Amino acid sequence: MNAAATNADPHERIFALNNAIRYVAIYRAGTLQSRQREGLAGASSGESDRYEELLVNPTLLTLARQRGNIDCGGAEFVIVGYGNFLQLVVDLPDGHVSVCFDRAADPLAHVDAIRKVFAP
Protein backbone atom coordinates (compact mmCIF):
# COMPACT_ATOMS: atom_id res chain seq x y z
CA MET A 1 0.00 0.00 0.00
CA ASN A 2 1.40 3.40 -0.89
CA ALA A 3 1.89 6.28 1.57
CA ALA A 4 -1.11 8.23 0.25
CA ALA A 5 -3.39 5.23 0.74
CA THR A 6 -2.10 4.77 4.30
CA ASN A 7 -3.35 8.23 5.27
CA ALA A 8 -6.63 7.98 3.36
CA ASP A 9 -10.00 7.15 4.84
CA PRO A 10 -10.82 3.46 5.39
CA HIS A 11 -12.79 3.15 2.15
CA GLU A 12 -9.85 4.39 0.09
CA ARG A 13 -7.39 2.20 1.99
CA ILE A 14 -9.49 -0.87 1.19
CA PHE A 15 -9.99 0.10 -2.47
CA ALA A 16 -6.19 0.46 -2.73
CA LEU A 17 -5.73 -3.23 -1.83
CA ASN A 18 -6.94 -4.59 -5.17
CA ASN A 19 -8.54 -3.29 -8.37
CA ALA A 20 -11.02 -6.18 -8.15
CA ILE A 21 -12.74 -4.46 -5.20
CA ARG A 22 -16.04 -3.06 -6.45
CA TYR A 23 -17.74 -1.75 -3.31
CA VAL A 24 -16.89 -1.03 0.32
CA ALA A 25 -19.41 -0.46 3.11
CA ILE A 26 -18.54 0.27 6.71
CA TYR A 27 -21.28 -0.09 9.31
CA ARG A 28 -20.07 0.93 12.77
CA ALA A 29 -21.88 2.20 15.84
CA GLY A 30 -25.14 2.46 13.87
CA THR A 31 -23.66 4.54 11.05
CA LEU A 32 -23.43 3.23 7.47
CA GLN A 33 -21.01 4.67 4.91
CA SER A 34 -20.49 3.05 1.52
CA ARG A 35 -18.72 3.70 -1.76
CA GLN A 36 -18.76 1.97 -5.13
CA ARG A 37 -16.34 2.12 -8.04
CA GLU A 38 -17.71 3.93 -11.07
CA GLY A 39 -18.75 2.12 -14.24
CA LEU A 40 -19.33 -1.35 -12.79
CA ALA A 41 -21.17 -3.97 -14.81
CA GLY A 42 -23.68 -6.06 -12.88
CA ALA A 43 -23.72 -3.77 -9.84
CA SER A 44 -26.61 -3.98 -7.42
CA SER A 45 -28.77 -0.95 -6.63
CA GLY A 46 -27.75 1.46 -3.91
CA GLU A 47 -31.06 1.00 -2.11
CA SER A 48 -30.74 -2.80 -1.98
CA ASP A 49 -27.10 -2.41 -0.84
CA ARG A 50 -28.29 -0.22 2.01
CA TYR A 51 -30.73 -2.87 3.26
CA GLU A 52 -28.12 -5.57 2.82
CA GLU A 53 -25.75 -3.67 5.12
CA LEU A 54 -28.40 -2.73 7.69
CA LEU A 55 -30.27 -6.05 7.84
CA VAL A 56 -28.79 -8.99 5.94
CA ASN A 57 -25.08 -8.78 6.72
CA PRO A 58 -25.47 -8.13 10.48
CA THR A 59 -27.88 -11.09 10.63
CA LEU A 60 -25.49 -13.38 8.74
CA LEU A 61 -22.64 -12.40 11.05
CA THR A 62 -24.78 -12.93 14.16
CA LEU A 63 -25.87 -16.39 12.99
CA ALA A 64 -22.30 -17.42 12.07
CA ARG A 65 -20.89 -15.97 15.32
CA GLN A 66 -23.46 -17.73 17.51
CA ARG A 67 -22.89 -21.04 15.74
CA GLY A 68 -19.13 -20.55 15.80
CA ASN A 69 -19.13 -19.81 19.51
CA ILE A 70 -20.73 -23.18 20.31
CA ASP A 71 -17.75 -25.33 19.32
CA CYS A 72 -15.97 -23.85 16.30
CA GLY A 73 -13.76 -21.20 17.89
CA GLY A 74 -15.97 -18.27 16.90
CA ALA A 75 -16.61 -16.66 13.51
CA GLU A 76 -14.64 -13.84 11.92
CA PHE A 77 -16.21 -13.31 8.51
CA VAL A 78 -18.73 -14.58 5.96
CA ILE A 79 -18.38 -14.76 2.19
CA VAL A 80 -21.51 -14.69 0.03
CA GLY A 81 -21.22 -15.81 -3.57
CA TYR A 82 -23.67 -13.77 -5.60
CA GLY A 83 -24.01 -14.30 -9.35
CA ASN A 84 -22.14 -11.11 -10.29
CA PHE A 85 -19.68 -10.77 -7.39
CA LEU A 86 -18.37 -12.12 -4.07
CA GLN A 87 -19.21 -10.27 -0.87
CA LEU A 88 -16.80 -10.51 2.08
CA VAL A 89 -18.36 -9.40 5.38
CA VAL A 90 -15.86 -9.01 8.23
CA ASP A 91 -17.04 -8.75 11.82
CA LEU A 92 -15.85 -5.67 13.75
CA PRO A 93 -16.33 -5.05 17.49
CA ASP A 94 -18.94 -2.35 16.79
CA GLY A 95 -20.29 -3.44 13.40
CA HIS A 96 -18.87 -4.81 10.17
CA VAL A 97 -17.08 -3.98 6.95
CA SER A 98 -18.44 -5.36 3.71
CA VAL A 99 -16.19 -5.61 0.66
CA CYS A 100 -17.47 -6.67 -2.75
CA PHE A 101 -15.02 -8.36 -5.16
CA ASP A 102 -15.15 -9.35 -8.81
CA ARG A 103 -15.94 -13.07 -9.12
CA ALA A 104 -12.37 -13.90 -10.24
CA ALA A 105 -10.81 -12.39 -7.09
CA ASP A 106 -9.93 -14.21 -3.86
CA PRO A 107 -11.54 -12.40 -0.90
CA LEU A 108 -9.74 -14.66 1.59
CA ALA A 109 -6.41 -13.24 0.47
CA HIS A 110 -7.50 -9.80 1.74
CA VAL A 111 -9.08 -10.56 5.14
CA ASP A 112 -5.97 -9.70 7.19
CA ALA A 113 -5.26 -6.49 5.25
CA ILE A 114 -8.87 -5.36 5.68
CA ARG A 115 -8.72 -6.05 9.41
CA LYS A 116 -5.51 -3.98 9.67
CA VAL A 117 -7.39 -0.96 8.33
CA PHE A 118 -9.49 -1.06 11.53
CA ALA A 119 -6.75 -2.04 13.98
CA PRO A 120 -6.27 0.42 16.86
Side-chain angles (χ1 to χ4, degrees):
M1 191 179 312
N2 65 38
T6 302
N7 295 324
D9 72 73
H11 293 88
E12 293 305 317
R13 291 178 64 191
I14 293 170
F15 276 121
L17 296 174
N18 191 311
N19 288 333
I21 295 173
R22 303 163 53 99
Y23 163 90
V24 176
I26 301 168
Y27 183 55
R28 297 185 84 180
T31 301
L32 174 64
Q33 297 178 324
S34 63
R35 295 201 191 138
Q36 180 173 296
R37 284 197 196 272
E38 294 296 318
L40 293 174
S44 56
S45 77
E47 190 64 15
S48 72
D49 289 344
R50 179 171 154 29
Y51 287 108
E52 179 179 24
E53 302 305 341
L54 295 175
L55 301 171
V56 176
N57 289 339
T59 301
L60 291 175
L61 285 170
T62 297
L63 291 171
R65 185 183 322 105
Q66 287 178 313
R67 167 58 184 104
N69 287 343
I70 293 171
D71 61 359
C72 299
E76 301 170 11
F77 60 85
V78 174
I79 297 175
V80 179
Y82 291 111
N84 294 331
F85 47 85
L86 300 172
Q87 190 83 20
L88 169 66
V89 186
V90 179
D91 198 24
L92 298 174
D94 60 347
H96 71 270
V97 58
S98 180
V99 182
C100 178
F101 290 84
D102 290 334
R103 289 287 305 197
D106 179 10
L108 288 175
H110 297 86
V111 172
D112 289 338
I114 291 167
R115 278 198 189 116
K116 285 180 185 175
V117 169
F118 300 97

